[in-house]
Amino acid sequence: MPQPTILIVDDNPENLTLLGELLRDRYKVRAANSGPRALQLAGQAPLPDLILLDIMMPGMSGFEVLEQLRLDDQTRDIPVIITTAMSGTDDEQHGLVLGAVDYLTKPLKPAIVLARVHTHLELKRARDRLQRDNASLEAEIARRMRENQVIQDVTIRALARLAETRDNETGNHILRTQEYVETLARRACTHPRFAAALGEHAIALIAKSAPLHDIGKVGIPDHVLLKPGKLTPDEWEVMKTHARLGAEAIARAVEDTHQPVEFLAYARQIALHHHERWDGSGYPEALAGDAIPLAARLMALADVFDALISRRVYKAPMTPAEAVAIMSAQRGLHFDPDLLDIFLAGIDAFCAIARRYPDEAAPELPVGQRQAA
């Protein structure tokens, strides 16, 4: 362990000599005979581990030196012991208020000086060790949180991809819709209707939840989910159950954890209600207006836009202009009017997202049409 460095500050050469001889056998000693010189030496590497500071000095007093030390981020944590011939308690109190750790009265007694120096150096070592341990612990916690976040995100994506593999839809639908939702939420957060519900934390959770919107499709029988032609009315009713199936699966997952999971609360809202319509004509609960959770209203816009501009086995892709025309006609019918306005105002950003995550494959269109789920 390297020897601690002690800075002694006193305008009296005899006191500097006395303290230097007393301390140099055990410590590295620096000496300053004025306030400005003390500040200069205090900032030099390696920084002092302790400062013995005289109060009564011409020009710049020890109190002024102490104030300057505490104002500098580099020196503010160096422990300072005040040394002075004054015996007034007001001066002692003033020094302690400014941040001194102790007070020695002159004439200095060598045994007391050594004992106080040793005590405060040990305290500094303990404090430094605690700071290092805390920093190390914080770094490890941050690393594990990042690792858990990655595991959580990968698990969400894997589940979403699993649902997607059972559908005729291919490509990067979950990546696109997730970014649409996050981008729309960030644009909507300044609107008076949505500002309170769309803080930074809520937006992050909603975006994390978005890939699970169609997780319930894993429960739809193949003869319905993979049917290339138009669904019968009965088959359509089966297809519509994917919303409730997804919500129930997420609810059971929450029950299994035995404690609330914030993002899964949003995930359940999105899975259950992203096919609701503003006018109450959607499913599964025919909710209308603000009764539809905001996260689901965001998802509805993202999901419909992506469905319109993407190729599916049952339809050709539309141009963004065609999609905008169709969605504009649904203002106040399918979509929250204010959210739709915000979406259309930022259409260039959503088109850029679509270009960034193109589908890997383009399935051929069969004869016949099928309604989208």
Side-chain angles (χ1 to χ4, degrees):
M1 180 182 298
Q3 274 189 319
T5 298
I6 297 178
L7 171 61
I8 54 177
V9 185
D10 200 304
D11 65 310
N12 187 320
E14 293 181 0
N15 289 333
L16 287 180
T17 300
L18 173 65
L19 286 171
E21 291 179 349
L22 177 64
L23 298 170
R24 68 168 48 99
D25 288 342
R26 306 182 186 191
Y27 311 108
K28 295 180 181 177
V29 177
R30 296 178 191 166
N33 60 2
S34 69
R37 179 59 176 165
L39 293 175
Q40 182 182 25
L41 292 179
Q44 290 182 2
L47 296 180
D49 296 288
L50 180 68
I51 298 175
L52 296 177
L53 176 63
D54 184 28
I55 292 301
M56 298 297 292
M57 294 187 295
M60 176 180 274
S61 72
F63 290 137
E64 292 174 296
V65 172
L66 184 54
E67 287 180 326
Q68 292 301 311
L69 290 171
R70 293 299 175 252
L71 290 174
D72 189 332
D73 289 341
Q74 189 179 27
T75 60
R76 67 190 316 162
D77 294 325
I78 301 174
V80 175
I81 298 176
I82 291 173
T83 63
T84 181
M86 298 184 297
S87 58
T89 56
D90 289 345
D91 294 316
E92 179 180 353
Q93 183 177 357
H94 185 50
L96 295 175
V97 167
L98 291 177
V101 298
D102 209 340
Y103 198 95
L104 291 173
T105 303
K106 296 178 181 177
L108 299 174
K109 298 177 176 61
I112 294 177
V113 171
L114 290 175
R116 298 285 181 84
V117 166
H118 176 75
T119 296
H120 287 292
L121 286 174
E122 286 299 307
L123 288 173
K124 182 179 184 299
R125 287 193 191 99
R127 186 175 66 248
D128 290 348
R129 184 166 55 251
L130 181 60
Q131 289 176 343
R132 289 193 300 270
D133 291 346
N134 285 342
S136 177
L137 181 59
E138 288 174 3
E140 178 62 17
I141 291 173
R143 185 191 68 78
R144 293 191 180 189
M145 289 181 65
R146 288 193 300 270
E147 185 178 87
N148 289 339
Q149 187 68 48
V150 169
I151 292 171
Q152 190 178 78
D153 291 344
V154 169
T155 302
I156 292 169
R157 290 283 177 83
L159 290 171
R161 289 292 189 187
L162 177 63
E164 200 172 58
T165 59
R166 295 203 61 248
D167 198 354
N168 284 320
E169 298 179 0
T170 60
N172 287 317
H173 172 71
I174 61 173
L175 297 179
R176 290 191 298 267
T177 52
Q178 183 176 37
E179 283 217 25
Y180 297 152
V181 165
E182 181 173 6
T183 301
L184 179 57
R186 292 194 181 284
R187 288 174 175 269
C189 71
T190 58
H191 191 286
R193 274 188 64 208
F194 312 118
L198 291 178
E200 187 67 29
H201 184 59
I203 291 173
L205 293 177
I206 291 170
K208 179 193 285 288
S209 307
L212 297 177
H213 64 282
D214 275 340
I215 189 67
K217 286 185 176 180
V218 298
I220 303 300
D222 286 352
H223 74 274
V224 174
L225 186 67
L226 304 180
K227 184 177 179 179
K230 185 178 179 64
L231 298 179
T232 67
D234 288 343
E235 289 169 340
W236 179 239
E237 290 304 313
V238 172
M239 176 64 79
K240 286 162 58 175
T241 64
H242 80 276
R244 199 174 295 281
L245 288 173
E248 289 172 354
I250 292 169
R252 286 195 297 270
V254 173
E255 291 173 3
D256 290 343
T257 65
H258 304 292
Q259 60 183 351
V261 181
E262 279 188 295
F263 90 88
L264 287 180
Y266 285 110
R268 183 183 180 279
Q269 291 177 1
I270 289 172
L272 183 61
H273 296 300
H274 70 287
H275 288 298
E276 306 283 1
R277 294 172 179 253
W278 185 255
D279 63 2
S281 64
Y283 65 88
E285 296 181 352
L287 300 182
D290 287 326
I292 305 168
L294 178 56
R297 282 178 270 154
L298 294 165
M299 190 71 233
L301 277 159
D303 199 33
V304 170
F305 176 70
D306 199 64
L308 291 174
I309 66 171
S310 299
R311 181 180 294 276
R312 297 290 183 260
V313 294
Y314 50 86
K315 73 170 201 64
M318 294 182 182
T319 66
E322 291 171 328
V324 165
I326 289 175
M327 295 175 72
S328 296
Q330 291 297 311
R331 186 180 189 275
L333 298 174
H334 191 147
F335 306 116
D336 181 322
D338 290 329
L339 280 183
L340 179 64
D341 291 345
I342 294 167
F343 183 88
L344 296 178
I347 191 63
D348 289 345
F350 299 105
C351 290
I353 293 169
R355 290 191 297 271
R356 190 155 59 247
Y357 301 108
D359 287 338
E360 296 91 343
E364 295 182 0
L365 284 170
V367 177
Q369 296 291 311
R370 181 182 118 191
Q371 66 267 49

